[in-house]
Amino acid sequence: MNDSVPMEHERRFVPDLAAVPMKFSKCPNSDIVQAYLRDGETRIRMETENGSRTYTKTVKRGEGISREEHEVSVTEAEFDLLWDDVEAQLSKRRYRIPWDGKTFELNIFDGPLTGYVQFEIEFPSEEEARSYKPPHWVGREVTDDKRHTNASLAKYGIPR
């Protein structure tokens, strides 16, 4: 892979919340509204944390553990303009849980996805992502199941 291409290395899991051994509600969290544009690659996001909002536009390419990811900050006005081209959207609360030297992002979805939860764990390299042995409580791995990507969840709902 070309080292100049920004990459995201991430694994995703579907947990049983009752098995999570900590009070995640005490961890830092944010509310996220995320939408997917008709081009099939672009995502826009509004994230609210401690009363402050940030807006981003991200283009992701690829699938599985490592994907190309280009992310830029946008203004609220730019976000609103992009919203006119939205095909699908979702909302979730994200808890950032420190564990074993990593940050486990617990996403609890709402709206049409109420009842669905997912852990995401990002890594600095594909090698580290592949070799990491997660604790049992993170649940079933869904990294390679396209139905569990946020874009698919927004467009098609919770996988059956």
Side-chain angles (χ1 to χ4, degrees):
M1 282 184 211
N2 184 339
D3 289 337
S4 65
V5 175
M7 299 294 289
E8 169 189 64
H9 312 286
E10 175 182 83
R11 291 174 64 186
R12 292 183 304 277
F13 302 85
V14 175
D16 171 2
L17 282 184
V20 178
M22 75 282 295
K23 295 196 181 296
F24 60 85
S25 63
K26 304 287 186 199
C27 292
N29 64 80
S30 58
D31 291 313
I32 297 172
V33 174
Q34 194 161 292
Y36 297 86
L37 304 189
R38 288 181 183 88
D39 70 5
E41 292 185 335
T42 306
R43 173 193 84 193
I44 58 175
R45 173 188 281 180
M46 175 179 60
E47 188 165 0
T48 306
E49 185 172 0
N50 298 324
S52 177
R53 282 196 175 148
T54 57
Y55 303 88
T56 55
K57 178 175 89 169
T58 306
V59 175
K60 291 188 180 189
R61 293 186 181 103
E63 55 190 56
I65 284 181
S66 294
R67 298 184 294 167
E68 188 176 330
E69 179 182 65
H70 301 271
E71 184 170 278
V72 296
S73 294
V74 295
T75 66
E76 182 177 4
E78 291 168 320
F79 178 88
D80 290 342
L81 283 173
L82 290 166
W83 194 265
D84 291 338
D85 199 33
V86 165
E87 175 183 34
Q89 70 185 66
L90 59 78
S91 59
K92 59 189 175 182
R93 175 159 287 169
R94 170 171 285 169
Y95 295 91
R96 287 173 296 289
I97 303 168
W99 186 272
D100 192 28
K102 307 270 178 273
T103 299
F104 287 52
E105 295 176 333
L106 176 62
N107 296 311
I108 300 179
F109 293 79
D110 57 20
L113 298 172
T114 295
Y116 184 78
V117 295
Q118 187 182 90
F119 271 116
E120 296 177 358
I121 310 167
E122 288 197 25
F123 300 87
S125 71
E126 184 170 341
E127 295 75 27
E128 188 175 333
R130 289 192 184 283
S131 66
Y132 184 70
K133 303 289 185 238
H136 70 89
W137 48 262
V138 298
R140 177 174 56 96
E141 184 157 12
V142 294
T143 302
D144 292 322
D145 186 339
K146 294 177 194 176
R147 299 172 306 156
H148 291 271
T149 65
N150 283 296
S152 180
L153 291 168
K155 292 175 188 174
Y156 309 115
I158 300 170
R160 298 286 171 225

